[in-house]
Amino acid sequence: MINKLLGFGLIGFLLVGCKAPLNIANIHTEKNIYITSDIDENKEMDAIIQPYKHELEGKMNTKISHTNVELTKSGDNSNLGNLLADYTFEGADEWAKKNNLPTVDAAVINIGGIRTIIPKGDILTKQIYEVMPFENEIVIVKISGKELEGLFDYYLKTQKNNPVSHLVIETENGSLSKKLIGGKTIDYNKTYYLATSDYLALGGDSMFFFGKGELISTGIKMRDLFLEKFKQNPEVSEPNDVRLIFKDKKVQD
């Protein structure tokens, strides 16, 4: 037994003794290179990029429409918000007709998705990219009249200025005093079709009521639709109708 222990001890000693020494790589501290205007331009790369840059700038600075007023996103019935909600409604309704679906009843979009204003004057392509920089798509939500109550309850609870089209929502003293879709009161026995963004349809901005409906994808990018609509309207006619009326709202957005 003792001989075995001595044998194992000897093997262990030999293994340790024969172990190759651990080599540690030398560590060098290199100087950071900062990209600033002091760095010389790569002329070959610049020559490749310039033609594409000029072409892109030309497209971005192309006039597509004109507005006699500033289009803003402020307030409960902003002219830009209502205009884009109307464009969303029109685009979705046109798509529905082409695809043998019932007409669209209304539209809802997200005020937070509208990132800036459009100043008075010529409207350029690049401004639509600035207004709508996201890749959101338009979807149509098929929903029952009963479940549509969730939309009106949402506005009652939040009094959020998310733009709407073909809807009138009025709140007073903590209750809904008016709720119209297509100029009519809700028919609980009817199925409605609402156009919105995929962001809202999937519960964005706490619009969870959309989840009770059936989502129909159109494949239409909102920004592409807005570009097309502005091109179709060389002179913008801003909406001036009142759609959201929060009579007891204390703080305006």
Side-chain angles (χ1 to χ4, degrees):
M1 181 67 178
I2 294 175
N3 290 336
K4 287 184 179 180
L5 290 173
L6 289 173
F8 286 134
L10 179 61
I11 292 171
F13 176 79
L14 290 173
L15 288 173
V16 173
C18 295
K19 185 177 180 181
L22 184 64
N23 291 323
I24 300 177
N26 292 326
I27 299 174
H28 299 281
T29 302
E30 301 292 348
K31 181 181 178 181
N32 289 329
I33 300 176
Y34 296 96
I35 300 176
T36 67
S37 57
D38 296 331
I39 297 177
D40 293 334
E41 292 184 6
N42 186 316
K43 294 183 179 180
E44 291 182 1
M45 183 63 69
D46 189 55
I48 295 172
I49 293 173
Q50 283 304 317
Y52 298 100
K53 181 181 178 182
H54 291 318
E55 181 182 358
L56 180 60
E57 288 176 347
K59 289 181 178 178
M60 289 293 107
N61 290 308
T62 299
K63 174 186 173 181
I64 58 173
S65 188
H66 182 272
T67 175
N68 282 321
V69 298
E70 182 179 73
L71 300 174
T72 75
K73 55 178 284 186
S74 60
D76 292 330
N77 292 275
S78 63
N79 54 8
L80 180 56
N82 285 355
L83 180 67
L84 297 184
D86 285 348
Y87 284 169
T88 301
F89 173 87
E90 293 169 11
D93 194 46
E94 291 165 3
W95 183 89
K97 290 174 182 175
K98 291 177 182 177
N99 289 273
N100 300 315
L101 288 175
T103 58
V104 171
D105 295 288
V108 180
I109 63 173
N110 178 27
I111 193 67
I114 303 172
R115 305 306 292 180
T116 187
I117 67 167
I118 297 179
K120 177 181 177 180
D122 291 342
I123 301 175
L124 309 180
T125 296
K126 68 179 180 181
Q127 290 175 296
I128 309 306
Y129 278 82
E130 293 166 355
V131 166
M132 183 63 61
F134 308 111
E135 294 296 319
N136 291 120
E137 293 187 8
I138 294 175
V139 299
I140 297 173
V141 182
K142 179 182 177 182
I143 193 167
S144 70
K146 183 178 180 180
E147 299 298 352
L148 185 61
E149 281 283 5
L151 181 149
F152 294 98
D153 289 339
Y154 169 88
Y155 280 93
L156 172 63
K157 180 180 178 180
T158 66
Q159 296 192 329
K160 187 71 179 286
N161 63 332
N162 282 329
V164 298
S165 179
H166 289 69
L167 285 164
V168 176
I169 305 169
E170 179 182 281
T171 65
E172 186 175 12
N173 298 324
S175 63
L176 286 158
S177 50
K178 185 180 291 185
K179 44 185 180 180
L180 303 175
I181 178 166
K184 300 177 181 179
T185 56
I186 304 174
D187 181 352
Y188 288 163
N189 297 316
K190 180 179 176 179
T191 298
Y192 290 92
Y193 292 80
L194 271 64
T196 189
S197 67
D198 53 353
Y199 169 72
L200 293 183
L202 295 173
D205 216 3
S206 299
M207 287 196 173
F208 303 118
F209 57 86
F210 278 129
K212 296 180 179 180
E214 175 188 342
L215 306 189
I216 303 170
S217 176
T218 67
I220 301 172
K221 297 286 187 182
M222 297 187 77
R223 183 176 57 232
D224 292 344
L225 173 66
F226 297 157
L227 282 166
E228 202 57 42
K229 286 295 179 182
F230 277 109
K231 291 176 183 177
Q232 293 172 7
N233 296 275
E235 190 64 47
V236 172
S237 297
E238 58 160 340
N240 53 21
D241 57 316
V242 178
R243 308 172 185 187
L244 300 177
I245 310 155
F246 304 127
K247 289 187 175 181
D248 51 355
K249 189 172 184 177
K250 296 180 180 179
V251 179
Q252 294 293 323
D253 294 286

